[in-house]
Amino acid sequence: MEVDYGSEYRYRHPIVAPNTLAVVITQSGETADTLAALREAKRRGACSISICNVVGSMATRETDGTVYTHAGPEIGVASTKAFTSQLVALYLLGLRLGQDRGVLSEESSKAHIEALLLLPQLLTQTLKLAPQVEEIAARFHNRADFLYLGRGLNYPIALEGALKLKEISYIHAEGYPAGEMKHGPIALIDEEMPVVILAPRDAVFEKMIGNMQEVKARGGSIVALTTHGDSKLASTLDLSRDYLLELPSASELLTPIVMVLPLQLLAYDIAVRRGCDVDQPRNLAKSVTVE
């Protein structure tokens, strides 16, 4: 499996085997770069499906099949519920492919579905963190730079958190693999740099503790997102200047969906405090229909 930016795919002369499936992900179904990538994959012989929110859009008409996210109209330019729904759609697609290929048993599939059915409850619990997120926004809304760190499945969520912040608050924000922090971003960390760290209790939890210690040694402030009830992480922080958001425990593959919600709230709260138009950020369009 390979992941590509739609805007890059055509220009790298991709190798497409006869049994390749191209999966295009687009909220609007009209994004020019994504459609161009789809057409290139089909021209080279790939089958195709789209994960899309808009019924009857161009992407849904041109693909062999569609997984609709049914998220409802996304009013804001910076997608939030569409993003979360896309993650759920990809999760379901992965389950179906696993079943069809015979690598996922019926019993294993049932466990994954049961975990997914708990997700609304977990997100409801996560939303109760809104007052704490507002407090963080009040503290950091006037900063010029943010750094977001994650590992494994949560690295893309760090990218998403940074993207949302820069899109709607106009603050420079960068998402980075936490293991690469010493290869560049660490030079930026000082007393003025908040560092948002995604550290659920997983196989790389101890590594994330090490990243926090490196940030603390350089005077940076930390906003840590972790699994509820982990005292070791709390002891790493100075809660007079750092923040800890404890999220409900979720299955590993669903943790990114729980993690992204506070990051979206943080971007929203900071943008509001800075007087920005959250729904219509400057220079952005709802659908990028030209390359």
Side-chain angles (χ1 to χ4, degrees):
M1 186 183 73
E2 296 181 63
V3 179
D4 270 283
Y5 288 105
S7 59
E8 293 288 331
Y9 180 77
R10 286 185 296 161
Y11 303 109
R12 70 173 183 87
H13 305 294
I15 298 172
V16 179
N19 60 347
T20 297
L21 174 66
V23 181
V24 297
I25 305 172
T26 165
Q27 191 282 139
S28 67
E30 304 291 345
T31 305
D33 291 333
T34 306
L35 291 172
L38 166 64
R39 291 161 186 162
E40 178 66 12
K42 290 177 64 178
R43 186 182 71 81
R44 291 173 178 263
C47 296
S48 62
I49 64 172
S50 57
I51 294 175
C52 187
N53 193 39
V54 180
V55 176
S57 59
M58 186 70 73
T60 68
R61 298 198 303 270
E62 294 194 14
T63 47
D64 300 315
T66 298
V67 179
Y68 283 111
T69 52
H70 296 297
E74 183 81 270
I75 303 303
V77 168
S79 294
T80 50
K81 64 180 180 180
F83 176 83
T84 307
S85 299
Q86 288 165 354
L87 295 183
V88 173
L90 287 167
Y91 184 86
L92 290 170
L93 177 62
L95 290 182
R96 180 56 187 267
L97 291 176
Q99 292 168 352
D100 288 348
R101 290 170 63 84
V103 297
L104 194 62
S105 68
E106 182 177 341
E107 192 63 31
S108 297
S109 299
K110 182 179 178 182
H112 284 294
I113 293 297
E114 288 174 350
L116 185 60
L117 291 173
L118 290 175
L119 190 58
Q121 177 184 333
L122 298 180
L123 295 181
T124 298
Q125 294 177 37
T126 303
L127 284 170
K128 294 179 181 178
L129 296 172
Q132 292 174 252
V133 175
E134 170 61 28
E135 183 181 342
I136 296 168
R139 165 82 181 280
F140 294 123
H141 72 277
N142 60 351
R143 299 300 174 90
D145 303 280
F146 272 70
L147 180 63
Y148 289 69
L149 299 177
R151 290 176 186 258
L153 289 174
N154 288 296
Y155 164 51
I157 303 305
L159 292 176
E160 169 66 8
L163 176 64
K164 285 294 175 285
L165 187 67
K166 72 179 73 169
E167 282 183 320
I168 65 174
S169 75
Y170 315 140
I171 293 174
H172 170 253
E174 187 171 0
Y176 228 80
E180 295 294 308
M181 185 181 74
K182 288 186 177 181
H183 298 279
I186 199 167
L188 302 174
I189 297 174
D190 60 15
E191 294 81 359
E192 295 299 313
M193 168 74 85
V195 181
V196 180
I197 295 181
L198 309 184
R201 188 75 193 194
D202 59 14
V204 292
F205 178 74
E206 296 294 333
K207 297 292 186 181
M208 297 306 293
I209 294 285
N211 286 124
M212 292 184 204
Q213 292 169 341
E214 294 279 1
V215 172
K216 297 297 296 176
R218 287 153 183 81
S221 296
I222 291 174
V223 177
L225 282 69
T226 191
T227 307
H228 178 74
D230 199 293
S231 58
K232 182 172 183 178
L233 189 150
S235 66
T236 304
L237 305 176
D238 175 3
L239 296 181
S240 66
R241 62 191 303 270
D242 301 320
Y243 292 89
L244 178 63
L245 295 175
E246 294 185 278
L247 284 71
S249 179
S251 68
E252 182 180 2
L253 293 177
L254 294 176
T255 296
I257 301 176
V258 177
M259 284 276 168
V260 77
L261 195 55
L263 302 186
Q264 293 171 340
L265 286 173
L266 180 62
Y268 171 82
D269 288 335
I270 289 177
V272 169
R273 282 188 169 270
R274 290 168 67 91
C276 301
D277 186 336
V278 174
D279 287 331
Q280 299 291 329
R282 69 189 183 201
N283 305 333
L284 296 178
K286 187 62 197 165
S287 295
V288 181
T289 56
V290 294
E291 188 172 7

